Amino acid sequence: MKIMADRIAHLGTEKAFKLADNLRECAALGIGVVKLNLGEPDFDTSPIICEEGIKQIADGATHYCAPAGLMTFRKAAAKYISETRNISVDWEKVIVTSGAKPPIGFAVMAYANPGDEVIYPSPGYPIYESWITYVGAKPVPLPLTDRNDFRFNADELEKLITPKTKLIFICSPSNPTGGVLTREDLESIADVIKRKCPNNVRVYSDEIYEHIVFDGVKHCSIASIEGMLEKTIIVSGHSKGFAMTGWRLGYAILPTIEEAEVFKNLNINTIACVAPFVQEAGRIAYENPLVALEVKKMVQAFEKRRNFAVPALNDIDGIRCAMPRGAFYLFPNIEGACKNLGILDAYSQLPERDQTSPSTLFQMFALYKHGVATMDRKSFGEIGAENEHYIRLSIATDLETIKEGIKRIKNASEDREGFKKFIAEGKHFY
Ligand code: PLP
């Protein structure tokens, strides 16, 4: 008899956490690593927010609180979302969660039966695919490519919608691509959804990177488009925009009070509630205009780094990098570099290929032999990732580090002999 229940084998993971083991091994081996793998701002939480959190703890906001969230925070979030999306959100439909991650699992559990189809972007945040396979729903990846800046159009979505479609994930600005859907994109996507999907289909709009947009672009939510608010679960939070990853503060806005009750009950069954002092500090992030100025400065820093990094990557033979419009990631296509290094051939000759891919081999070679940490394509959805050769680089680190990291990527992509040796050593293939 197995110790673990069968279902647990279907739960995926976020490989960003596995990479931490590789980084520890590199440190033990004395390899100095430049980290371009990080999925969180390199900025600290604003002191204004921290001071409020500390004050709240001192004032005793340290007990259990309402599982749906504090009314003060839910009202602040509803006001903020209403004003920024030009919609009218009822605060009672806001459910506060510990980060923007729990609502992903909540939504898949709450809406998808085994066999139902769930559409999600690929490459995309890996937790979507993880939960879909876990509950026995059918994963339907929506392929994104750098050829159109990782956006997708209504036709591409329409082909994937069937009578079994139950939930559609969209994520803009996107992790890992930095792609941003424009209002026009969203309008045509919304048209298809309204035309093809019955009223019991939900759109999950992951807007956790909403604050981080470049080139004067304004974030647009699909919920702002007529007829979509009543079909859309809007999810956002404070991790990325307010540099509050460790505080664990996010929320979902459900289309109906009944659906909000289900999410509340999922909170009751898991975390009970988000710490009240965290919520009060998060409220200040919305209410104090000085915080907005700090966010603006952070976004400007990301934009400056992007403006340096994208042309620098495009100067490398075999690498092609689209210009991200948001988030703090670059997602260069490395197919040419894989060919130049002989990675595609080496990969095809490996006896065990399940756990790896050409971009994984590039990632590991760059890490162990050239001291630069990136993420492979497979980290962002396994299904449909074959023959896709990309890596993700994070620009949530200072410019000097980015410069050094790109130099190392260039060295790695020219080091054919080094790659042969790496393969001959027979380790660190995933
Ligand atoms: N959604 C996307 C697209 C993300 O990239 C992340 C974190 O990396 C999350 C959700 C989860 O965010 P949080 O840390 O607030 O749980």
Side-chain angles (χ1 to χ4, degrees):
M1 251 247 269
K2 283 187 284 177
I3 296 176
M4 294 297 179
D6 294 340
R7 75 173 81 83
I8 209 69
H10 301 287
L11 189 66
T13 190
E14 190 171 351
K15 289 218 260 155
F17 291 97
K18 185 216 154 236
L19 190 64
D21 296 337
N22 297 103
L23 292 173
R24 269 189 289 277
E25 190 184 0
C26 286
L29 293 169
I31 303 168
V33 175
V34 169
K35 294 189 189 119
L36 297 186
N37 58 300
L38 304 173
E40 63 172 340
D42 53 321
F43 291 78
D44 289 330
T45 309
S46 158
I48 299 168
I49 299 172
C50 294
E51 276 157 25
E52 183 65 24
I54 293 164
K55 177 178 162 293
Q56 291 288 335
I57 292 175
D59 289 351
T62 54
H63 297 267
Y64 286 133
C65 64
L70 296 179
M71 190 173 67
T72 45
F73 181 74
R74 293 166 79 197
K75 283 191 168 168
K79 181 168 180 283
Y80 166 77
I81 293 285
S82 300
E83 285 171 2
T84 48
R85 273 75 169 167
N86 200 18
I87 51 181
S88 174
V89 167
D90 175 356
W91 69 270
E92 286 177 295
K93 294 178 183 166
V94 179
I95 301 296
V96 187
T97 51
S98 40
K101 195 180 240 182
I104 299 171
F106 288 3
V108 177
M109 282 193 282
Y111 295 106
N113 276 319
D116 285 345
E117 294 177 6
V118 183
I119 299 173
Y120 62 102
S122 179
Y125 190 50
I127 301 305
Y128 309 145
E129 191 173 280
S130 171
W131 277 100
I132 297 164
T133 51
Y134 182 68
V135 305
K138 184 175 169 209
V140 182
L142 169 56
L144 305 178
T145 115
D146 61 336
R147 297 285 180 203
N148 59 353
D149 295 332
F150 301 106
R151 288 151 52 216
F152 63 94
N153 63 37
D155 295 341
E156 289 164 300
L157 175 64
E158 184 161 6
K159 282 190 209 124
L160 303 179
I161 296 173
T162 77
K164 289 197 159 177
T165 304
K166 209 51 216 310
L167 189 60
I168 301 171
F169 279 94
I170 60 178
C171 177
S172 173
S174 145
N175 175 13
T177 69
V180 172
L181 295 167
T182 63
R183 190 173 177 97
E184 293 70 43
D185 293 335
L186 290 166
E187 274 168 357
S188 59
I189 291 164
D191 273 350
V192 164
I193 294 171
K194 286 186 273 185
R195 189 158 41 78
K196 292 269 298 206
C197 299
N199 285 340
N200 64 350
V201 173
R202 292 284 172 263
V203 175
Y204 185 108
S205 184
D206 187 335
E207 303 180 20
I208 186 71
Y209 293 95
E210 60 169 296
H211 302 93
I212 307 167
V213 277
F214 310 133
D215 306 320
V217 167
K218 258 195 92 188
H219 169 69
C220 183
S221 168
I222 195 163
S224 302
I225 299 182
E226 216 197 309
M228 290 308 292
L229 182 58
E230 44 274 59
K231 295 179 185 300
T232 305
I233 303 148
I234 305 169
V235 175
S236 192
H238 286 40
S239 297
K240 315 289 176 171
F242 296 114
M244 289 177 72
T245 49
W247 294 70
R248 312 309 302 131
L249 180 60
Y251 53 88
I253 300 174
L254 283 303
T256 62
I257 300 277
E258 292 71 32
E259 288 159 89
E261 280 294 313
V262 172
F263 272 48
K264 178 178 106 180
N265 193 30
L266 285 160
N267 260 356
I268 292 173
N269 275 273
T270 50
I271 58 161
C273 61
V274 172
F277 56 88
V278 167
Q279 297 186 54
E280 290 294 13
R283 180 177 54 76
I284 289 296
Y286 284 141
E287 289 176 356
N288 188 325
L290 295 176
V291 175
L293 287 180
E294 292 183 30
V295 173
K296 201 169 161 198
K297 276 197 202 135
M298 179 176 79
V299 175
Q300 280 167 349
F302 291 145
E303 184 163 349
K304 194 167 155 209
R305 297 167 187 175
R306 176 205 67 161
N307 292 345
F308 164 79
V310 172
L313 284 165
N314 279 318
D315 275 348
I316 302 174
D317 185 29
I319 295 189
R320 180 179 80 211
C321 185
M323 187 64 95
R325 287 304 186 85
F328 39 68
Y329 306 111
L330 314 179
F331 206 61
N333 184 309
I334 56 160
E335 182 166 359
C338 288
K339 281 186 188 148
N340 295 346
L341 287 172
I343 293 185
L344 301 182
D345 292 339
Y347 171 73
S348 67
Q349 283 160 30
L350 289 181
E352 287 283 326
R353 286 194 290 266
D354 276 8
Q355 306 238 45
T356 189
S357 71
S359 82
T360 316
L361 293 175
F362 184 93
Q363 175 202 17
M364 289 297 152
F365 171 58
L367 175 63
Y368 282 94
K369 299 298 173 188
H370 289 273
V372 53
T374 61
M375 303 280 303
D376 64 341
R377 164 66 181 84
K378 239 171 131 78
S379 297
F380 303 100
E382 302 244 344
I383 302 164
E386 306 81 33
N387 305 318
E388 297 258 303
H389 312 296
Y390 294 91
I391 50 171
R392 190 193 76 176
L393 311 181
S394 162
I395 48 170
T397 186
D398 64 275
L399 201 53
E400 284 314 305
T401 305
I402 295 171
K403 280 187 187 162
E404 179 59 27
I406 293 179
K407 197 166 106 194
R408 292 182 186 202
I409 290 171
K410 180 170 162 44
N411 292 342
S413 63
E414 290 168 353
D415 184 11
R416 215 178 140 84
E417 284 311 305
F419 183 71
K420 269 193 205 147
K421 280 194 208 133
F422 171 75
I423 289 291
E425 282 170 21
K427 55 180 186 207
H428 300 132
F429 289 173
Y430 56 90

